[in-house]
């Protein structure tokens, strides 16, 4: 029962069982490693020169064209010129037309910016599309305007380059237009759009042709407030590069409209980056809308989220009451200098309100500051998706649920609503799927009586108006490629296309794949070829391998964006050849994952049990058993009814055995047995019937059962019953710490072992939230009673904070919406008289830190459930260090660990950074940190433990990664001496201390090494000297050896056994390359400390 798989070299490899593997090199599928990094820029042509320059120094972009045109105070006749003297519409305000009517003025603006220090100047074409020019009836001149604008900028660059000897570059400015693909212009009709994707593609194509023919070096898609529009521009550019023009580098710059950190169309900065990264821009960043001070946290996000060079050109502050900008060149330059010193940028300039004076000041400020170092292998082997929010899928991601109910072919209710034109009601189906745990939403409009293109367009436009739905990525599902294209044109995020295949031949497959890639989507590939649907392991692997080869080598696909569906086919049909369809999918999955790097596996789960339609109990059990095994072999995602899967371990044993038998084809009569089981169930087989037998258990077991099963029907009454059991649970808090935490602990274990899925965890979390919500009023009353009895409430204290043990700010970090664990921590801390400020979920770093500062917090606590939260926590720690904060930082949540905190987070922050395992430990940790007598020893013990963890981690790393000498030198510390003046010591040169008084030295002795040598180690809180004397195990012995040591020291001093001499030298010094030169007070060189030591 082993099969032979042909490799691409013609050899055969045996597979079968659990140990089969074919490497990508054996398959002949070696893919350049660059292709595995989704955010890596594509560098070619003039981009090579730009990249080399930006690795060596921070380059300078020019400032605002519009600001300089306004300063010219031009009137209507100036805009018209002689050529348009009789034009029927007013032209004042059409700055782009000045390229034809006032070319000398535009040329001079370019030249002024270049002479001020700009390396790159943008063409005067911000409104250079037919869409924008239509307001002036000038759309027929778009090509001419853009070509003329590029030629003016080119002339200025060539002249200034000749004068200065420094190369200058022209960037073709491509603005956002005055239309939006993602937002309706009509409040009453959220599905209405006043432009289509293809209309925008055509408009941008006309503009880009003019810019490229005019000689631009770079294309710059900028001021993006709707990512849908930007994707249309990128689509147009890619088409032109493929069919008409040699490619030039791209710069992409978005606009954050306010301090929420989102674009006007609602995307976070990270989601925006994911949505445009498929274009492989040379530079990626932000401009406009905000001043430098306000834009910093968002440019920092982009800097952490891309391997491209980072550009930032903010406004000269926020607009004042009169629409002007108040930041002087010095203020703006100082603020951008901070970005540079912190290693955030490679290219800077100015937007609205900036002038040549601003650019000159910025250019001066950037001199000598190293540019941002580009991250390496960022998000390698990660599938990046986005809706309004980002999504990462990598080897650490749990199974991803693709919600199936927005499919006219799979949901009668959804189909009926769509057919009846009740699209708003159909939105509720989508919303319920997301609420039930769908992480991606599958949308399908394939029905004979529907206009699929119109239905898909309308429904997706409606989704974009609902942030609670639009936050997740979409899966555009259709067998009609025209419907897929229509759907992709409505999405500003990075979607999944479901699906394409080799069924119609390689040419058709390649054409569709290139279109999908041009849209920037990931793709599901069905295991079909020209002959048939793949059913055997061998055929599935062959088709997927061939498809992978075409996609990576010929269509330019990032392997991370390839998802295979090796066909989940129906089992239990009574037809013998169908019996191993389940086995074949699972085993093919394992081979595909091992042999095709970075590819993912998905499948439509409902097909598996189609033979048992109407028998929901059987079907759902089969699905749970199948997923349990398929996920272990490598299945990453699946189209499922989110929230409607039983927990694997809850399936009745007899039914589970039947499902295992039919899946693994263990006997000839599996189908008959499972049908017999269904018949014995009778009507109960149609749906799962929950009995109330468990209600006979004790209170604690009933609460645990409710949590594990996600049943909220009785949770309030059971929680109240437990609260009233004062002998067992003296305080309401004890109910949380007891049965409620026990239940959630079981949920966590089941989730971690793959026996429970996210939708089920969410149901459990809701039950927990309901129980805790019932207890909160009782806990609050308990706290108030305690305060009253202590006189706290009546004491008339001016400062409310003084009534509390301390103030703790807690938040789920940005990018994460999970909060049940954090909420429990808040409740537990509150019940122990801590003032808790809960900032909720998706909390930006700047909000967490500003709240902590403004509220006078004593501790900051971060929570997260998903893997990307770990990176955000590292970022928060770095920011706390940058701001020189002194507060302890607590880390918690399902995805966190003591090891990660010790190795990755704690080193970023010089204050105590501590992992808190669960809510029950939060009070102990917080109390220790706020107890001045206990804090030192507690922190020291944690620090020692984390040092040990870090050392173990370093030892476990098989291979150290070294930088080249050039790279190491490029990362040298940069000290800004203009901001720091060293304090001159009172005495320079050498100072000698002869025969120093030993009595003065004794109080400075560190006794820890002494006790370590004697192998005496106290336990917290009795760590360190002199508290070790109080330790019950080693205290007496420590006291004795210390007493003996002190006696010896007395003898040493009295009998003068030892003398102490000291010498210290303070000298002028400077760094020269790798070395440090030392000088006398008069400036004469006295010697060199050589910095270059060991190299590998």
């Amino acid at each position: 029962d082993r099969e032979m798989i042909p490799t691409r070299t013609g050899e055969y490899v045996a597979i079968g069982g659990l140990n089969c593997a074919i490497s990508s090199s054996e398959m002949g599928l070696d893919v350049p490693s660059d292709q595995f990094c989704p955010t890596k820029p594509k560098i070619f042509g003039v981009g090579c020169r730009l990249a080399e320059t930006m690795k060596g120094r921070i380059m300078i972009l020019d400032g605002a064209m519009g600001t300089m045109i306004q300063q010219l105070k031009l009137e209507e006749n100036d805009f018209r010129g002689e050529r348009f003297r009789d034009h029927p519409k007013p032209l004042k305000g059409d700055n782009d037309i000045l390229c034809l009517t006032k070319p000398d003025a535009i040329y001079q603006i370019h030249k002024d910016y270049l002479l001020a220090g700009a390396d790159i100047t943008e063409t005067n074409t911000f409104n250079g599309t037919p869409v924008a020019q239509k307001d002036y009836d000038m759309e027929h001149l778009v090509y001419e305007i853009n070509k003329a604008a590029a030629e003016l900028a080119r002339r200025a660059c060539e002249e200034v380059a000749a004068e200065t000897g420094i190369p200058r570059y022209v960037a073709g400015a491509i603005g956002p237009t005055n239309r939006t693909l993602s937002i309706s212009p009509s409040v009453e009709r959220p599905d209405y759009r006043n432009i289509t994707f293809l209309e925008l593609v055509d408009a941008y194509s006309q503009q880009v042709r003019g810019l490229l023919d005019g000689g631009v070096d770079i294309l710059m898609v900028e001021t993006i407030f709707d990512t849908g529009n930007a994707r249309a521009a990128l689509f147009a550019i890619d088409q032109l590069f493929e069919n008409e023009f040699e490619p030039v580098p791209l710069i992409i710059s978005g606009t954050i409209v306010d301090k929420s950190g989102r674009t006007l169309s609602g995307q976070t900065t990270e989601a925006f980056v994911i949505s445009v990264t498929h274009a492989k821009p040379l530079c990626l960043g932000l401009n406009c809308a905000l001043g430098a001070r306000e834009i910093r946290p968002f440019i920092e996000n982009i800097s952490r989220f891309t391997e491209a060079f980072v550009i930032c050109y903010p406004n000269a502050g926020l607009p004042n009451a009169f629409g002007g900008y108040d930041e002087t060149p010095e203020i703006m330059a100082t603020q951008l200098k901070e970005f540079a010193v912190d290693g955030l940028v490679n290219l800077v300039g100015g937007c609205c309100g900036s002038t040549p004076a601003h650019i000159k000041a910025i250019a001066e400020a950037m001199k000598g500051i190293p540019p941002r170092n580009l991250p390496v292998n960022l998000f390698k082997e990660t599938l990046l998706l986005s809706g309004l929010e980002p999504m990462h899928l990598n080897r650490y991601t749990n199974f991803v649920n693709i919600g199936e109910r927005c499919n006219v072919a799979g949901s009668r209710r959804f189909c009926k609503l769509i057919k009846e034109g009740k699209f708003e009601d159909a939105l509720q189906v989508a919303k319920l799927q997301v609420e039930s745990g769908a992480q991606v939403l599958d949308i399908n409009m394939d029905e004979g009586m529907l206009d699929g293109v119109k239905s898909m367009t309308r429904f997706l436009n409606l989704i974009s108006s609902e942030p609670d739905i639009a936050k997740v990525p979409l899966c555009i599902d259709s067998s009609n490629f025209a419907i897929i294209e229509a759907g992709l044109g409505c999405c500003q995020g990075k979607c999944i296309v479901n699906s394409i295949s080799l069924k119609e031949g390689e040419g058709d497959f390649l054409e569709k794949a290139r279109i999908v890639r041009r849209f920037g989507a990931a793709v599901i590939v069905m295991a079909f070829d020209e002959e048939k649907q793949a059913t055997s392991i061998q055929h599935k692997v062959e088709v997927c391998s061939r498809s992978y080869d075409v996609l990576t080598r010929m269509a330019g696909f990032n392997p991370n964006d390839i998802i295979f569906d090796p066909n989940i086919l129906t089992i239990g049909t009574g037809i013998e050849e169908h019996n191993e369809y389940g086995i074949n999918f699972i085993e093919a999955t394992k081979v595909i994952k091992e042999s095709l790097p970075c590819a993912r596996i998905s499948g439509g789960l409902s097909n598996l049990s189609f033979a048992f339609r109407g028998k929901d109990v059987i079907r759902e059990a089969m699905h749970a058993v199948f997923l349990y095994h398929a996920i272990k072999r490598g299945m990453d995602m699946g189209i499922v009814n989110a929230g409607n899967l039983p927990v694997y371990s809850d399936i009745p044993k007899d039914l589970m055995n039947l499902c295992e038998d039919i899946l693994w084809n263990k006997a000839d009569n599996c189908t008959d047995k499972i049908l017999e089981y269904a018949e014995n169930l009778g009507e109960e087989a149609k749906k799962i019937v929950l009995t109330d037998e468990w209600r006979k258990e004790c209170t604690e077991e009933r609460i645990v059962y409710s949590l594990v099963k996600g049943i909220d029907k009785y949770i309030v009454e059971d929680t109240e019953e437990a609260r009233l059991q004062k002998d067992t649970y003296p305080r309401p808090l004890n109910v949380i710490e007891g049965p409620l935490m026990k239940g959630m602990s079981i949920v966590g274990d089941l989730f971690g072992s793959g026996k429970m899925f996210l939708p089920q965890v969410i149901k459990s979390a809701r039950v927990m939230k309901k129980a805790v919500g019932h207890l909160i009023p009782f806990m609050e009353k308990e706290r108030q009673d305690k305060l009253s009895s202590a006189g706290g409430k009546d004491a008339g204290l001016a400062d409310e904070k003084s009534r509390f043990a301390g103030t703790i700010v807690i938040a789920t970090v940005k990018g994460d919406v999970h909060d049940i664990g954090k909420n429990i921590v808040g409740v537990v801390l509150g019940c122990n008289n801590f003032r808790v400020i809960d900032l909720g979920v998706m909390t930006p770093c700047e909000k967490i830190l500003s709240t902590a500062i403004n509220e006078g917090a004593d501790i900051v606590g971060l929570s997260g459930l998903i893997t990307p939260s770990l990176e955000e926590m590292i970022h928060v720690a770095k920011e706390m260090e940058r701001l020189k904060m002194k507060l302890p930082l607590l880390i918690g949540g399902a995805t966190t660990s003591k090891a990660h905190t010790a190795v990755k987070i704690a080193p970023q922050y010089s204050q105590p950074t501590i992992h808190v395992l669960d809510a029950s430990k939060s009070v102990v940790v917080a109390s220790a940190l706020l107890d001045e007598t206990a804090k030192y020893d507690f922190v020291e013990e944690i620090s020692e433990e984390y040092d040990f963890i870090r050392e173990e981690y370093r030892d476990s790393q098989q291979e150290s990664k070294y930088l080249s000498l050039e790279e190491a030198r490029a990362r040298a510390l940069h000290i800004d001496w203009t901001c720091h003046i060293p304090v001159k010591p009172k005495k320079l040169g050498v100072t000698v201390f002869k025969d120093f008084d030993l009595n003065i030295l004794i109080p400075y002795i560190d006794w820890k090494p002494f006790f370590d040598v004697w192998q005496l180690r106290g336990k917290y809180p009795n760590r360190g000297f002199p508290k070790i004397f109080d330790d019950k195990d080693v205290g007496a012995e420590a006291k004795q050896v210390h007493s003996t040591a002190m006696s010896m020291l007395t003898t040493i001093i009295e009998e003068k056994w030892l003398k102490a001499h000291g010498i210290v030298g303070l000298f002028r010094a400077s760094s020269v390359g790798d070395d440090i030169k030392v000088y006398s007070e008069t400036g004469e060189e006295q010697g060199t400390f050589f910095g270059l030591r060991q190299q590998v």
Side-chain angles (χ1 to χ4, degrees):
D1 57 354
R2 289 165 65 82
E3 297 190 25
M4 302 299 290
I5 302 293
T7 68
R8 292 185 61 78
T9 58
E11 299 171 340
Y12 280 76
V13 179
I15 66 168
L18 300 181
N19 299 315
C20 56
I22 306 173
S23 72
S24 58
S25 58
E26 288 175 316
M27 282 285 195
L29 298 177
D30 293 326
V31 178
S33 59
D34 281 8
Q35 254 180 287
F36 297 117
C37 302
T39 66
K40 195 175 186 69
K42 190 173 183 179
I43 299 174
F44 54 89
V46 71
C48 297
R49 295 203 305 272
L50 289 164
E52 281 306 307
T53 304
M54 284 189 284
K55 287 177 182 177
R57 67 176 175 89
I58 295 171
M59 292 188 75
I60 308 298
L61 181 71
D62 64 4
M65 175 64 72
T67 298
M68 297 308 294
I69 289 174
Q70 286 174 5
Q71 289 186 8
L72 296 177
K73 301 190 183 304
L74 301 177
E75 298 297 334
E76 178 68 27
N77 287 338
D78 297 306
F79 282 87
R80 287 178 175 274
E82 187 61 29
R83 180 174 174 180
F84 304 112
R85 183 178 59 185
D86 300 323
H87 191 70
K89 275 194 174 181
L91 294 180
K92 187 176 181 181
D94 185 3
N95 289 350
D96 299 41
I97 203 68
L98 295 173
C99 295
L100 303 180
T101 59
K102 283 281 184 183
D104 291 345
I106 302 303
Y107 162 80
Q108 191 58 48
I109 292 171
H110 287 307
K111 192 166 183 180
D112 289 345
Y113 275 124
L114 293 166
L115 290 172
D119 296 292
I120 302 171
T121 187
E122 290 186 68
T123 56
N124 179 35
T125 53
F126 188 78
N127 292 307
T129 59
V131 176
Q133 286 299 312
K134 190 173 183 179
D135 291 344
Y136 303 99
D137 279 352
M138 288 293 187
E139 59 267 41
H140 60 289
L141 293 174
V142 160
Y143 174 84
E144 184 182 352
I145 290 170
N146 282 276
K147 185 171 183 292
E151 289 169 346
L152 287 170
R154 164 64 55 215
R155 180 159 63 93
C157 281
E158 289 174 354
E159 288 192 14
V160 174
E163 289 177 28
T164 61
I166 300 171
R168 309 297 167 123
Y169 303 92
V170 179
I174 303 170
T177 81
N178 50 7
R179 305 288 175 92
T180 62
L181 283 173
S182 305
I183 305 170
S184 172
S186 169
V187 176
E188 294 79 17
R189 295 174 57 196
D191 60 324
Y192 171 69
R193 298 293 183 272
N194 56 10
I195 197 165
T196 69
F197 183 86
L198 292 179
E199 286 170 347
L200 265 180
V201 169
D202 179 64
Y204 281 123
S205 296
Q206 293 182 50
Q207 178 178 28
V208 172
R209 280 191 186 94
L211 291 171
L212 291 172
D213 279 341
V216 298
D217 301 298
I218 305 159
L219 288 174
M220 191 164 181
V221 183
E222 64 168 338
T223 320
I224 299 163
F225 57 78
D226 180 350
T227 315
N229 289 31
R231 286 164 66 83
L234 298 174
F235 191 98
I237 290 167
D238 190 65
Q239 260 187 340
L240 291 172
F241 285 170
E242 183 173 311
N243 300 321
E244 299 181 34
F245 293 92
E246 283 294 317
V248 299
L250 295 180
I251 295 177
I252 300 175
S253 181
T255 292
I256 301 302
V257 294
D258 56 37
K259 293 183 181 181
S260 69
R262 292 179 182 261
T263 62
L264 184 66
S265 55
Q267 278 198 314
T268 65
T269 48
E270 293 92 336
F272 161 71
V273 171
I274 291 172
S275 300
V276 299
T277 290
H278 65 280
K280 297 291 181 185
L282 178 68
C283 292
L284 191 55
L286 298 173
N287 73 291
C288 203
L290 303 174
R293 192 181 306 282
E294 295 79 20
I295 211 171
R296 179 188 168 108
F298 314 124
I299 206 70
E300 195 160 2
N301 287 343
I302 287 184
S303 182
R304 293 187 297 122
F305 217 74
T306 182
E307 291 183 63
F309 295 93
V310 170
I311 180 173
C312 180
Y313 53 118
N315 292 345
L318 296 174
N320 58 31
F322 303 100
Y325 296 86
D326 298 327
E327 283 190 358
T328 63
E330 292 71 30
I331 292 173
M332 192 175 182
T334 300
Q335 292 173 352
L336 283 175
K337 185 174 183 177
E338 290 180 16
F339 292 25
V341 169
D342 291 337
L344 302 182
V345 290
N346 304 96
L347 173 59
V348 295
C351 202
C352 302
S354 61
T355 65
H358 287 82
I359 298 307
K360 184 176 183 180
I362 291 168
E364 284 295 322
M366 296 302 123
K367 285 182 178 176
I369 303 177
R372 164 181 169 267
N373 287 310
L374 303 189
V376 178
N377 293 334
L378 191 64
F379 304 118
K380 188 175 183 180
E381 300 180 7
T382 300
L383 167 57
L384 299 176
L385 300 171
S386 64
L388 295 182
E389 293 164 11
M391 182 178 184
H392 306 182
L393 280 77
N394 54 35
R395 68 181 66 182
Y396 307 109
T397 307
N398 287 318
F399 182 76
V400 173
N401 299 278
I402 303 177
E404 70 172 358
R405 306 314 291 170
C406 293
N407 185 329
V408 293
S411 168
R412 289 193 185 94
R413 179 176 174 235
F414 184 76
C415 184
K416 184 172 183 290
L417 291 170
I418 294 296
K419 279 185 169 182
E420 293 174 356
K422 297 178 180 177
F423 281 74
E424 289 79 3
D425 294 337
L427 273 182
Q428 297 310 308
V429 177
K431 191 171 185 180
L432 183 60
Q433 286 278 281
V434 176
E435 289 173 351
S436 297
Q439 295 136 291
V440 178
L441 207 56
D442 185 79
I443 315 291
N444 182 292
M445 295 291 175
D446 288 3
E447 210 281 338
M449 300 303 292
L450 285 175
D451 183 329
V453 169
K454 286 185 178 178
S455 297
M456 180 68 80
T457 300
R458 184 179 177 190
F459 191 64
L460 293 187
N461 284 346
L462 284 168
I463 281 179
S464 70
S465 68
E466 292 287 342
D468 289 341
I469 306 172
K471 66 183 180 182
V472 302
L474 300 179
C475 180
I476 312 301
D477 183 355
S478 181
S479 56
N480 182 339
F481 198 69
I483 297 176
I484 287 175
E485 288 183 280
L488 289 172
C490 298
C491 300
Q492 62 173 321
K494 181 179 177 181
C495 303
I496 299 172
V497 164
N498 186 16
S499 61
I500 62 174
S501 75
L502 289 163
K503 185 169 21 176
E504 301 298 328
E506 199 168 285
D508 174 81
F509 178 74
L510 184 58
E511 180 184 354
K512 289 173 179 173
R514 283 174 172 157
I515 293 171
V516 172
R517 183 198 56 75
R518 188 167 288 145
F519 273 106
V523 68
I524 293 176
V525 179
M526 298 294 294
F528 282 81
D529 63 12
E530 297 87 340
E531 299 299 322
K532 61 177 182 177
Q533 184 178 41
T535 57
S536 68
I537 300 173
Q538 175 179 341
H539 196 192
K540 290 175 190 286
V541 175
E542 283 178 346
V543 173
C544 293
S545 300
R546 180 182 164 203
S547 301
Y548 184 91
D549 190 22
V550 172
L551 289 171
T552 55
R553 293 185 186 278
M554 301 171 69
F557 250 85
N558 185 312
N560 291 289
D561 291 340
I562 301 171
I563 304 163
F564 289 111
D565 183 342
N567 305 326
I568 299 178
L569 302 173
T570 307
I571 60 176
T573 63
I575 301 172
E576 186 177 348
E577 66 186 79
H578 296 177
N579 291 348
E580 296 202 346
Y581 280 173
I583 299 172
N584 292 350
F585 179 94
I586 290 171
E587 295 299 338
T589 291
K590 183 174 186 294
V591 178
I592 291 166
K593 289 299 291 288
E594 291 174 346
S595 60
L596 305 179
C598 295
R600 268 75 188 176
I601 300 292
S602 181
L605 196 57
S606 61
N607 292 343
L608 181 81
S609 62
F610 194 74
F612 300 95
R613 289 189 74 183
K615 310 291 184 184
D616 289 353
V617 172
I618 306 296
R619 297 192 73 181
E620 289 169 13
M622 288 176 67
H623 295 167
V625 170
F626 177 83
L627 282 179
Y628 179 69
H629 294 290
I631 291 168
K632 285 180 178 295
R633 299 296 202 283
M635 187 176 180
D636 301 281
M637 62 187 77
I639 300 175
V640 300
N641 185 357
N644 205 27
L645 287 171
V647 177
Y648 176 81
S649 55
D650 286 348
I651 301 169
K653 193 67 178 174
D654 52 351
L655 178 56
M656 181 187 288
N657 289 337
L658 289 170
C659 291
E660 293 278 355
D661 289 349
I662 198 169
L663 174 61
W664 297 107
N665 192 25
K666 291 182 178 179
D668 293 336
N669 60 348
C670 293
T671 302
D672 294 335
K673 284 184 176 180
I674 207 164
L675 283 171
E676 182 182 342
Y677 183 92
E679 286 168 7
N680 290 336
L681 285 177
E683 287 297 311
E684 291 181 7
K686 291 184 178 178
K687 61 179 182 178
I688 295 174
V689 178
L690 296 175
T691 68
D692 284 347
E693 282 295 310
W694 61 281
R695 301 295 303 155
K696 297 175 183 177
E697 300 289 339
C698 68
T699 309
E700 178 172 320
E701 290 305 314
R702 294 200 307 269
I703 290 174
V704 170
Y705 187 92
S706 292
L707 284 164
V708 174
K709 305 297 182 185
I711 302 169
D712 65 356
K713 183 177 179 181
Y714 306 102
I715 192 63
V716 170
E717 64 182 81
D718 288 345
T719 302
E720 176 62 9
E721 185 178 315
R723 186 186 72 82
L724 295 174
Q725 295 173 7
K726 297 298 184 183
D727 291 342
T728 309
Y729 310 110
R731 301 174 60 197
L733 177 62
N734 301 140
V735 181
I736 293 175
E737 295 175 331
L740 289 172
M741 289 297 289
K742 180 182 176 182
M744 288 308 289
S745 177
I746 293 171
V747 169
D749 290 342
L750 289 170
F751 183 54
S753 64
K755 296 178 181 178
M756 208 172 187
F757 303 109
L758 186 60
Q760 297 152 335
V761 174
I762 290 173
K763 287 169 72 175
S764 298
R766 286 177 180 148
V767 176
M768 181 72 170
K769 198 168 187 176
K770 196 170 184 178
V772 172
H774 173 72
L775 293 170
I776 284 175
F778 298 104
M779 291 187 286
E780 180 60 24
K781 184 178 185 302
E782 181 185 72
R783 194 180 71 81
Q784 292 297 337
D785 291 345
K786 186 177 179 181
L787 284 172
S788 296
S789 63
K793 200 166 186 178
D794 303 319
L797 293 171
D799 183 11
E800 183 190 356
K801 283 175 59 181
S802 62
R803 297 198 221 127
F804 296 93
T807 297
I808 303 178
V809 171
I810 61 175
T812 301
V813 295
K814 188 176 69 173
D816 200 325
V817 297
H818 304 92
D819 66 351
I820 185 63
K822 171 182 64 65
N823 292 346
I824 296 169
V825 168
V827 168
V828 171
L829 288 169
C831 291
N832 285 273
N833 202 35
F834 286 92
R835 176 176 174 245
V836 178
I837 300 171
D838 188 343
L839 299 179
V841 301
M842 291 285 291
T843 315
C845 171
E846 57 274 12
K847 183 177 181 182
I848 297 171
L849 303 189
S850 63
T851 302
I853 293 168
N854 296 336
E855 295 289 341
D858 300 294
I859 295 173
V860 171
L862 305 179
S863 176
L865 177 69
I866 57 178
T867 306
S869 300
L870 299 175
E871 289 300 316
E872 183 64 20
M873 290 174 178
I874 294 170
H875 171 58
V876 173
K878 287 180 177 178
E879 280 297 281
M880 292 179 78
E881 182 70 15
R882 183 179 71 84
L883 296 172
K884 297 181 172 58
M885 296 179 72
K886 302 297 181 185
L887 307 180
L889 176 62
L890 305 186
I891 303 295
T895 193
T896 64
S897 67
K898 185 183 289 186
H900 183 271
T901 302
V903 174
K904 299 290 187 179
I905 304 177
Q908 309 302 330
Y909 185 43
S910 55
Q911 300 302 314
T913 304
I914 301 169
H915 180 255
V916 182
L917 183 63
D918 56 45
S920 63
K921 305 293 190 297
S922 60
V923 174
V924 176
V925 174
S927 299
L929 289 170
L930 298 182
D931 182 342
E932 288 303 320
T933 60
K935 178 180 178 179
Y936 176 81
D937 289 339
F938 176 71
V939 171
E940 184 182 41
E941 181 166 348
I942 295 289
S943 179
E944 286 183 12
E945 182 183 5
Y946 284 12
D947 282 342
F948 179 73
I949 291 171
R950 283 190 285 269
E951 190 174 331
E952 273 197 328
Y953 174 78
R954 282 192 291 268
D955 291 344
S956 71
Q957 300 305 294
Q958 296 296 316
E959 188 178 325
S960 298
K961 294 180 180 178
Y962 295 97
L963 297 175
S964 69
L965 181 58
E966 291 72 23
E967 288 177 290
R969 283 172 171 159
R971 297 187 182 197
L973 173 67
H974 173 78
I975 300 173
D976 184 0
W977 295 108
T978 62
C979 300
H980 174 73
I981 301 175
V983 177
K984 184 178 180 181
K986 291 179 180 178
K987 181 186 175 186
L988 288 172
V990 175
T991 300
V992 177
F993 299 94
K994 278 280 190 181
D995 200 7
F996 199 80
D997 187 348
L998 297 181
N999 288 294
I1000 296 175
L1001 295 181
I1002 286 177
Y1004 293 94
I1005 291 175
D1006 177 4
W1007 289 98
K1008 183 181 178 301
F1010 175 79
F1011 291 123
D1012 284 347
V1013 169
W1014 288 100
Q1015 297 184 10
L1016 299 173
R1017 181 182 172 89
K1019 295 179 182 176
Y1020 176 82
N1022 298 313
R1023 296 284 305 280
F1025 173 79
K1027 290 187 178 181
I1028 190 173
F1029 298 155
D1030 298 325
D1031 188 86
K1032 63 183 177 66
D1033 295 323
V1034 303
E1037 188 68 26
K1039 204 171 208 174
Q1040 182 180 334
V1041 296
H1042 178 263
S1043 176
T1044 304
M1046 290 301 296
S1047 296
M1048 180 174 281
L1049 282 170
T1050 301
T1051 303
I1052 288 171
I1053 293 171
E1054 288 177 351
E1055 298 184 10
K1056 299 184 178 179
W1057 291 6
L1058 301 175
K1059 289 184 179 181
H1061 305 305
I1063 184 168
V1064 60
L1066 297 172
F1067 304 95
R1068 298 176 180 273
S1070 68
S1071 58
V1072 180
D1074 299 320
D1075 307 326
I1076 298 173
K1077 299 283 187 182
V1078 179
Y1079 307 94
S1080 68
E1081 191 168 357
T1082 60
E1084 182 181 346
E1085 187 176 325
Q1086 292 193 308
T1088 302
F1089 290 104
F1090 296 100
L1092 185 61
R1093 296 180 180 88
Q1094 293 174 324
Q1095 295 183 72
V1096 176

